[in-house]
Amino acid sequence: MVTGGKRVLSLQDLSCVGQCSLTAALPVLSACGVECCVLPTAILSTHTGPEFDPPVVHPLTDVLPAVWESWMGQGFTFDALALGYLGAGAIDFAARAVDDLRDSAFILIDPAMGDNGRFYSGFGPDYAARMASLCSQADILLPNLTEGCLLLGEPTPERYDGDFCLRLARRLGELGPKAVVLTGLDCVPGQATNLIYHAGNGCAVFQGQPRLPGRFHGTGDLFAAALLGRLMRGDTLEQAAETAGAFVAAAIRRTGPEHPYGVQFEGCLGMLG
Ligand code: PXL
């Protein structure tokens, strides 16, 4: 099928080993039939998870403006811009990219900065505040529960219900994004739940997949890329989230215990085309 030649720009780190961020976005968006241009904000030897030694980190902050000026000088345009894990040093550049593209591109912001109630190492309240101010320009804001709470400067509750999630989504909607998708919620027993909230009309939909045992790195990045890819293919937000959720669940099911640092999604890419 002809896709209409959509082109997205993925702005996030390149964790060279780890099946997250750019090494997830590239294959997933390609599988959706969407061109994926990349701008790595930092190179890391691996992701920062506990399965690896502390990574070698090389920020690319210094080179980002020159790349950007080269692209803008050549008149490049993108149908969408997706922000993910940036590293603390690249938030100002990301703000500039959002500013330059907001009138012409769909903006998806995954405010990747924490999980399990805590910031990832290297991130803190200043980053969260800066990210919160960027959210007003998002078409879709895609936090997990922890990130949603960090954006609002609040502690993450250990237990919560669907009403709590709905109130959180509404308040995140007040930061200004057109829609909020809260991911990986634990508000329905036995389910990994996503909440889709449309800020314009207050419409909210809960979607669930059976909760699979274990904790898996990179699933948020896979979900974000699949969601964007399917949106670029013309799906509604609900359809795109359903397909992205099923893709991530299938990838988790394929992942063996001998593979602890990410999910083996490669065999599931056919679900996205
Ligand atoms: O999956 C989010 C992510 C992306 N990039 C790096 C990370 C993480 C999560 O820990 O460490 C480098």
Side-chain angles (χ1 to χ4, degrees):
M1 183 182 159
V2 176
T3 68
K6 297 283 187 192
R7 177 159 74 177
V8 314
L9 172 60
S10 181
L11 182 68
Q12 54 184 330
D13 79 282
L14 174 59
S15 289
C16 300
V17 174
Q19 284 172 307
C20 66
S21 44
L22 283 182
T23 62
L26 264 167
V28 166
L29 283 154
S30 298
C32 292
V34 172
E35 179 183 349
C36 178
C37 303
V38 301
L39 189 43
T41 55
I43 294 184
L44 289 84
S45 52
T46 62
H47 64 56
T48 61
E51 302 83 2
F52 297 117
D53 290 348
V56 177
V57 181
H58 184 80
L60 295 172
T61 326
D62 289 350
V63 83
L64 297 174
V67 172
W68 196 250
E69 274 142 34
S70 166
W71 287 357
M72 294 301 115
Q74 293 173 77
F76 288 0
T77 58
F78 301 97
D79 296 293
L81 168 67
L83 306 190
Y85 181 111
L86 302 171
I91 185 86
D92 289 338
F93 174 78
R96 174 180 176 190
V98 168
D99 230 39
D100 286 353
L101 296 186
R102 60 190 283 207
D103 292 336
S104 56
F106 187 90
I107 309 283
L108 182 144
I109 298 186
D110 175 351
M113 60 180 149
D115 206 356
N116 303 315
R118 299 167 48 179
F119 281 109
Y120 295 139
S121 92
F123 296 85
D126 289 353
Y127 185 90
R130 196 80 182 80
M131 188 52 94
S133 73
L134 268 191
C135 292
S136 63
Q137 306 187 45
D139 289 282
I140 298 183
L141 174 64
L142 189 65
N144 60 32
L145 180 83
T146 298
E147 290 157 350
C149 292
L150 293 173
L151 285 171
L152 297 172
E154 293 178 3
T156 308
E158 276 186 27
R159 287 166 184 273
Y160 52 92
D161 59 11
D163 280 346
F164 175 87
C165 299
L166 202 48
R167 283 197 303 276
L168 184 67
R170 282 200 194 108
R171 292 174 54 221
L172 290 167
E174 287 164 11
L175 296 176
K178 293 200 178 74
V180 178
V181 181
L182 274 168
T183 58
L185 302 169
D186 198 3
C187 57
V188 178
Q191 269 195 14
T193 302
N194 296 328
L195 169 57
I196 299 163
Y197 173 72
H198 296 270
N201 59 11
C203 229
V205 178
F206 286 91
Q207 291 180 345
Q209 292 284 338
R211 182 168 286 280
L212 301 164
R215 284 196 177 279
F216 301 92
H217 207 98
T219 50
D221 302 346
L222 288 167
F223 182 84
L227 181 82
L228 183 60
R230 290 307 317 178
L231 285 169
M232 290 290 109
R233 287 289 292 267
D235 283 5
T236 64
L237 183 52
E238 283 73 11
Q239 287 167 338
E242 191 78 50
T243 302
F247 165 67
V248 172
I252 291 172
R253 275 192 217 98
R254 278 182 85 97
T255 303
E258 72 293 348
H259 188 88
Y261 62 80
V263 291
Q264 294 173 298
F265 64 85
E266 294 80 4
C268 306
L269 290 170
M271 294 171 68
L272 299 172

